[in-house]
Amino acid sequence: MNFEMYEANDENGKRIIYNLMQLYTYELSFFEDETTNFKLLDTGLFAMSKYIELYWKDETRHPYILKCNGELAGFVLQRYNEDNYNEIAEFFVLNKYRKLGAGTFMAKEIFKKYRGKWEIRTLLKNKRAQEFWRKIVKEVSNGEYREQLIRNNSRYAFYFEN
């Protein structure tokens, strides 16, 4: 597999990420609980967070697209959060690329680009994401990381420094 990740900071990248966000949000809706709300609009599209637009306006936010053998495979949104941590705000890989190492490639590329303290949050019910991040974070931090419940026990987070 030939993976490529590039910053999607133009209008075309924005359109691609907005389109992929629909698939991503649909998948996240499986983990909906009283702390989340994935609103499906009358148009048949999911409502997007007001923060997504900031990835093309705020210099502390960075949108990236992943391709596999030249085809769209996913995206990642990195930002510096309110606690001055690097954060993976959104992370999505299409199903057909998940067992081929696409997510691992994309995560490691982001960690190479942005050094320092990291926070990665997951939905509490999303055990698959937690297993993925536990494996990756353990590797890139040489086992020096912590996991904890946050936001009144409604999210699960990983913390490390690279």
Side-chain angles (χ1 to χ4, degrees):
M1 294 287 120
N2 181 28
F3 297 114
E4 171 195 4
M5 189 178 83
Y6 63 91
E7 193 159 7
N9 52 8
D10 61 9
E11 284 300 313
N12 186 52
K14 180 179 176 181
R15 186 178 70 253
I16 290 168
I17 287 178
Y18 267 73
N19 290 340
L20 290 173
M21 286 289 295
Q22 291 298 312
L23 300 171
Y24 171 67
T25 305
Y26 171 74
E27 280 199 3
L28 285 182
S29 71
F30 286 96
F31 307 108
E32 189 168 15
D33 60 20
E34 62 279 350
T35 69
T36 58
N37 182 11
F38 300 104
K39 175 89 172 125
L40 188 62
L41 303 172
D42 291 339
T43 61
L45 297 174
F46 285 96
M48 292 291 104
S49 163
K50 63 184 177 186
Y51 300 108
I52 299 302
E53 183 69 26
L54 295 177
Y55 284 87
W56 291 270
K57 295 179 179 180
D58 183 343
E59 63 187 35
T60 66
R61 295 171 185 256
H62 306 278
Y64 290 89
I65 289 174
L66 176 68
K67 287 193 169 186
C68 179
N69 296 334
E71 295 184 8
L72 288 174
F75 71 89
V76 59
L77 302 180
Q78 181 275 345
R79 74 180 189 118
Y80 294 101
N81 69 20
E82 54 281 354
D83 297 321
N84 268 344
Y85 281 83
N86 287 296
E87 181 183 333
I88 291 181
E90 311 295 344
F91 189 93
F92 175 68
V93 175
L94 289 164
N95 281 325
K96 73 188 253 181
Y97 300 108
R98 288 188 182 160
K99 297 296 182 192
L100 302 176
T104 299
F105 172 85
M106 190 162 60
K108 287 180 177 180
E109 285 296 301
I110 280 292
F111 297 147
K112 282 183 209 171
K113 288 181 182 300
Y114 301 96
R115 308 300 264 178
K117 294 180 180 180
W118 279 91
E119 177 181 52
I120 302 169
R121 303 173 189 170
T122 68
L123 295 175
L124 194 58
K125 290 183 176 182
N126 194 345
K127 302 297 184 197
R128 183 177 65 202
Q130 291 161 22
E131 290 170 15
F132 171 80
W133 287 117
R134 184 173 293 115
K135 178 183 166 202
I136 298 297
V137 168
K138 184 176 184 179
E139 182 181 335
V140 300
S141 71
N142 294 316
E144 298 290 322
Y145 70 99
R146 73 180 198 281
E147 303 178 25
Q148 69 185 63
L149 290 167
I150 60 170
R151 291 190 178 176
N152 296 320
N153 297 331
S154 68
R155 301 287 184 273
Y156 199 80
F158 297 84
Y159 297 91
F160 69 99
E161 191 168 345
N162 66 344

